[in-house]
Amino acid sequence: MAAFLQIPDNEKGHDLDLFCIPKHYEEDLDKVMIPHGLIMDRTERLARNIIKDMGGHHIVALCVLKGGYKFFADLLDYIKALNRNSDKSVPLTVDFIRLKSYCNDESTHCVKVIGGDELSSLSGKNVLIVEDIVETGRTMQTLLSLLSGYNPKMVKVVSLLVKRTSRSSGYRPDYIGFEIPDIFLVGYALDYNEYFRDLSHICILNENGKQKYKV
Ligand code: IMP
Ligand code: MG
């Protein structure tokens, strides 16, 4: 099973005052759950693990938009650093897909592909799907079954976060950054109705924030 950094259920997070938070979000957050530096350190190690397993072949990194874009960019930077600094290196190309399954702070049952590249270009390739968070697992399972129709040679999934929840379908990604309690988190490209992507740390949304940005 994939190794991960576990954030326990009783983790209260860190006071906002200890970190730099954009003024426009100060009233909307409860705590900092995962500081940006820790995200980066864990991502660096995920890059190493991925290259160890998938190295030697051309990799197509598939970014699941929009939530995955920060993690995708940082993970690829670490993979590029490994490519620059070792005897073996792997060619890397990028593709993008846009999915939507969330409204307010709840996963809906319907996962929609609402844009991105033509998936037929992935046929015969080694694909690394890069996702921000797996909750029920429905989004990833939908994407995986969609992809299998295009006959990629290999598909691996890396998700920065996996939520510990009874709503999980049991699906687990191949690589996991952190396993988190069953709470709604924002920041580092994770959004609440499109807000909070412009926040570096992963934080706990408070009631005020939920009301303010509700649709
Ligand atoms: P799933 O289909 O239930 O696994 O949900 C996956 C998608 O829901 C993710 O790609 C996110 O876009 C969104 N999501 C799930 N939990 C959270 C959260 O705590 N904050 C922000 N987005 C979330
Ligand atoms: Mg996502």
Side-chain angles (χ1 to χ4, degrees):
M1 203 174 81
F4 51 82
L5 195 158
Q6 180 160 19
I7 300 181
D9 286 337
N10 62 6
E11 172 63 58
K12 294 280 176 283
H14 311 287
D15 283 346
L16 298 181
D17 294 344
L18 298 171
F19 294 91
C20 296
I21 305 290
K23 195 98 203 132
H24 55 274
Y25 290 143
E26 269 177 358
E27 308 289 301
D28 310 324
L29 302 168
D30 187 15
K31 297 273 183 185
V32 172
M33 193 56 138
I34 314 177
H36 184 252
L38 184 56
I39 301 171
M40 297 301 281
D41 291 336
R42 181 74 190 117
T43 302
E44 182 178 17
R45 181 54 195 254
L46 287 172
R48 194 167 112 185
N49 294 356
I50 290 165
I51 288 306
K52 183 162 172 268
D53 297 350
M54 292 184 83
H57 312 278
H58 167 192
I59 299 173
V60 182
L62 178 65
C63 176
V64 184
L65 294 169
K66 295 178 185 173
Y69 93 89
K70 274 299 292 168
F71 178 48
F72 181 81
D74 290 331
L75 181 71
L76 264 59
D77 277 350
Y78 282 120
I79 293 179
K80 279 154 54 193
L82 290 171
N83 272 341
R84 285 196 298 275
N85 296 302
S86 56
D87 297 332
K88 284 197 304 184
S89 71
V90 277
L92 198 68
T93 55
V94 298
D95 264 305
F96 297 89
I97 187 164
R98 178 134 185 237
L99 303 176
K100 198 167 180 69
S101 66
Y102 243 69
C103 184
N104 291 323
D105 60 349
E106 269 175 50
S107 183
T108 65
H109 283 260
C110 143
V111 181
K112 274 191 263 174
V113 177
I114 55 170
D117 290 318
E118 187 51 61
L119 292 177
S120 58
S121 64
L122 301 176
S123 118
K125 302 279 171 55
N126 292 312
V127 181
L128 175 69
I129 300 177
V130 183
E131 172 66 304
D132 52 354
I133 179 166
V134 169
E135 184 178 345
T136 63
R138 268 195 300 267
T139 302
M140 202 38 68
Q141 284 173 317
T142 306
L143 179 56
L144 285 170
S145 71
L146 199 73
L147 256 186
S148 69
Y150 295 93
N151 299 310
K153 185 156 142 221
M154 176 206 281
V155 181
K156 297 273 187 193
V157 177
V158 56
S159 183
L160 178 64
L161 309 175
V162 170
K163 218 177 257 191
R164 249 187 331 276
T165 169
S166 57
R167 295 182 306 287
S168 165
S169 66
Y171 169 77
R172 300 288 282 189
D174 301 288
Y175 305 95
I176 300 170
F178 302 84
E179 194 190 72
I180 57 165
D182 193 1
I183 42 175
F184 194 77
L185 298 178
V186 292
Y188 193 70
L190 285 130
D191 74 306
Y192 175 74
N193 296 328
E194 297 301 328
Y195 288 89
F196 303 100
R197 296 199 202 271
D198 55 336
L199 170 71
S200 306
H201 313 291
I202 294 180
C203 298
I204 305 172
L205 187 64
N206 68 18
E207 260 322 299
N208 190 55
K210 278 187 193 175
Q211 289 312 318
K212 188 152 137 196
Y213 298 108
K214 210 182 188 83
V215 291

